[in-house]
Amino acid sequence: MIRTIAQTLTQKVEKKYRFALHAVFYAVILYAHNSGLIPLENLALYLVMLFVTGFSVVLVHYPNVTYKNIFMAVLLPMNLALGGTLSLLLFPNISVIFRFVAIVVFSLLDYIILLVDNVFLVIEGREELIPLYRVAVTWSLILQIIVFIPFVASVYKFNVNSYYHAIVVAVAAFFYSLYQIWVTRYDKDAKNVGVVERIFLSFIVLFLVFSGVVGVSFVPSEPFLKALFTSSVAMFGLSYVSAYLKNEINKRLIFQYAFITVFFLVLMLIFRP
């Protein structure tokens, strides 16, 4: 039945319209939650939302989604759905106008993520590069960091031990690293690393992010500023992994991202509550 629905959708609706419908659907869900029509204060409803998000992503990407790439296809959309919903729930003091703008931005991000992921899924299906690949790789890193920020800010809002914050955020960064390796491996200049090396590289990112979260856990600061700092650490790790795969690690790269990380650290230390 699911396959029949997917085939019908594929035959009658072009991909760009499927992606647009998915983004509109996500915006409606956010608006309904924000209006109190769908109270997402319990875990069960969040699990349902994530399942619906993952299922809908598979439908709009059909037939390019397989058991080999389904995790990569749903990773960013599900993270955006979770981070977007939690941020609207856990930051109740933001204005109505800002909430409306946030819903529009989140839905636009959903559309762009689906477009970018479609490039990688098509490449994997054809087993050959297409002209949009370089642009998609650049956008993928930008999107990862943008999506990571509201998710991390929401995690920081939970009143639990900072080590739990570090574990959740670091595990998310680990999966982001696997995603970054997945999108980079189609580059002709990139190394073809095995499973063990992929996991090792992702553990480096996990360690960097975990250390960064624990390192600033005792600093009194706003969750959003902490999220910016944490995301800069994640960006450093993901960029390092990408550069390693393409043999582009140099002092300029290290100093550039180290400067960005230090900048957000100083910003966090200055604007303390």
Side-chain angles (χ1 to χ4, degrees), residues 222-247:
E222 294 295 332
F224 181 72
L225 292 177
K226 280 191 174 183
L228 288 177
F229 167 74
T230 306
S231 298
S232 70
V233 176
M235 182 171 64
F236 178 90
L238 295 174
S239 300
Y240 178 87
V241 168
S242 182
Y244 169 81
L245 293 173
K246 294 186 287 186
N247 293 312

Side-chain angles (χ1 to χ4, degrees), residues 156-226:
Y156 280 132
K157 288 288 286 185
F158 285 95
N159 188 22
V160 295
N161 189 289
S162 59
Y163 285 104
Y164 292 113
H165 293 160
I167 291 171
V168 172
V169 174
V171 169
F174 176 86
F175 291 131
Y176 274 48
S177 177
L178 291 177
Y179 176 87
Q180 185 64 22
I181 294 171
W182 178 66
V183 305
T184 307
R185 69 194 180 102
Y186 301 112
D187 195 313
K188 295 178 181 179
D189 300 324
K191 295 179 182 179
N192 186 17
V193 295
V195 175
V196 175
E197 194 167 1
R198 293 179 198 176
I199 293 175
F200 176 74
L201 289 170
S202 299
F203 264 111
I204 293 176
V205 179
L206 181 148
F207 175 76
L208 288 173
V209 173
F210 183 87
S211 301
V213 175
V214 173
V216 300
S217 61
F218 302 104
V219 178
S221 184
E222 294 295 332
F224 181 72
L225 292 177
K226 280 191 174 183

Side-chain angles (χ1 to χ4, degrees), residues 4-143:
T4 303
I5 295 173
Q7 288 175 339
T8 304
L9 186 66
T10 303
Q11 293 170 357
K12 295 186 175 181
V13 184
E14 292 182 29
K15 276 188 176 181
K16 59 182 179 181
Y17 298 121
R18 285 185 249 165
F19 299 160
L21 286 172
H22 189 276
V24 171
F25 174 72
Y26 175 52
V28 170
I29 293 295
L30 282 178
Y31 177 78
H33 161 61
N34 190 54
S35 303
L37 300 175
I38 304 178
L40 291 174
E41 280 82 8
N42 63 71
L43 180 61
L45 286 175
Y46 274 100
L47 293 176
V48 171
M49 179 191 67
L50 290 176
F51 173 78
V52 171
T53 301
F55 179 74
S56 60
V57 168
V58 172
L59 281 181
V60 298
H61 278 306
Y62 184 86
N64 298 114
V65 176
T66 66
Y67 70 94
K68 294 181 180 180
N69 57 31
I70 185 171
F71 179 80
M72 299 304 172
V74 303
L75 178 62
L76 289 186
M78 289 179 69
N79 196 262
L80 177 66
L82 184 60
T85 308
L86 282 174
S87 60
L88 291 177
L89 173 68
L90 298 174
F91 291 87
N93 297 325
I94 57 179
S95 66
V96 175
I97 295 176
F98 187 85
R99 286 177 178 273
F100 176 77
V101 172
I103 290 173
V104 173
V105 170
F106 285 142
S107 61
L108 181 60
L109 282 173
D110 181 75
Y111 179 74
I112 297 173
I113 287 170
L114 293 175
L115 283 177
V116 171
D117 279 348
N118 179 65
V119 173
F120 303 129
L121 293 172
V122 169
I123 290 173
E124 186 170 64
R126 296 181 181 179
E127 295 185 347
E128 62 178 7
L129 289 180
I130 60 178
L132 290 173
Y133 173 70
R134 297 285 184 183
V135 177
V137 170
T138 302
W139 269 100
S140 69
L141 181 58
I142 296 172
L143 289 169

